[in-house]
Amino acid sequence: MSLIIRKIEATDYDDWAKLWTGYLEYYKSTLPETIYKTTFKRLVNKEYYDPRGFLAVENGRPIGLVHYMLHRHCWREEHVTYLQDLFTNSEARGKGIGKALIEAVYEEADIIGAPTVYWMTEDFNHTAHRLYDHVAKRTPFIKYQR
């Protein structure tokens, strides 16, 4: 396996959209094309607080993605990193791709000085929990949303 983790580039739209569609389908969600276009534009933009992302590419073919963003925090001087979306296509699961994508976010967060990385996941996503329990510490927080 020849795996490369790299930043999402402006020419990646079609491959990225296929992966993000898979992610949304997993969570039984759909979004209009305008959100796809807006999100991708933000991912390849260079604004500090816009979302950022990486693709996992195996033998020249994108097989996974991760989106993350920086934000300020009232309990820290440095910014923190929120890992928003993580996905690998079905044939890539169990090969360490998700872990490699998380570690790429960790490395980037350290480089830019926002070393705290956190995320949420659905309570039913037990496969992901096994990975997350190895790469991070589970917190007792519960999410509320308006």
Side-chain angles (χ1 to χ4, degrees), residues 4-20:
I4 297 169
I5 305 296
R6 64 166 176 79
K7 291 182 180 182
I8 295 173
E9 300 169 357
T11 57
D12 290 324
Y13 182 81
D14 291 339
D15 291 324
W16 168 85
K18 287 176 192 168
L19 289 166
W20 203 36

Side-chain angles (χ1 to χ4, degrees), residues 13-134:
Y13 182 81
D14 291 339
D15 291 324
W16 168 85
K18 287 176 192 168
L19 289 166
W20 203 36
T21 296
Y23 174 80
L24 295 170
E25 287 173 349
Y26 177 83
Y27 285 108
K28 297 176 179 45
S29 296
T30 59
L31 293 171
E33 184 66 21
T34 57
I35 299 297
Y36 275 73
K37 299 277 188 196
T38 299
T39 298
F40 190 77
K41 181 180 176 184
R42 290 174 179 165
L43 286 166
V44 297
N45 196 0
K46 302 297 184 206
E47 293 294 322
Y48 191 76
Y49 289 111
D50 274 352
R52 302 163 186 221
F54 290 106
L55 287 178
V57 181
E58 181 182 54
N59 300 321
R61 188 173 73 94
I63 58 171
L65 64 76
V66 66
H67 301 151
Y68 63 99
M69 60 193 74
L70 308 177
H71 66 86
R72 293 184 173 146
H73 197 287
C74 292
W75 292 16
R76 291 175 169 72
E77 288 183 3
E78 70 276 0
H79 293 75
V80 299
T81 305
Y82 175 58
L83 191 157
Q84 187 170 30
D85 308 311
L86 176 69
F87 178 76
T88 62
N89 62 24
S90 58
E91 59 268 18
R93 295 198 186 117
K95 296 181 179 180
I97 309 301
K99 182 179 181 196
L101 286 163
I102 291 170
E103 289 174 345
V105 173
Y106 283 175
E107 184 177 329
E108 182 71 8
D110 289 342
I111 289 168
I112 59 182
T116 298
V117 178
Y118 73 100
W119 62 91
M120 296 176 284
T121 191
E122 298 271 15
D123 60 352
F124 65 79
N125 195 347
H126 302 294
T127 301
H129 295 182
R130 285 192 293 277
L131 167 61
Y132 301 160
D133 288 343
H134 286 324

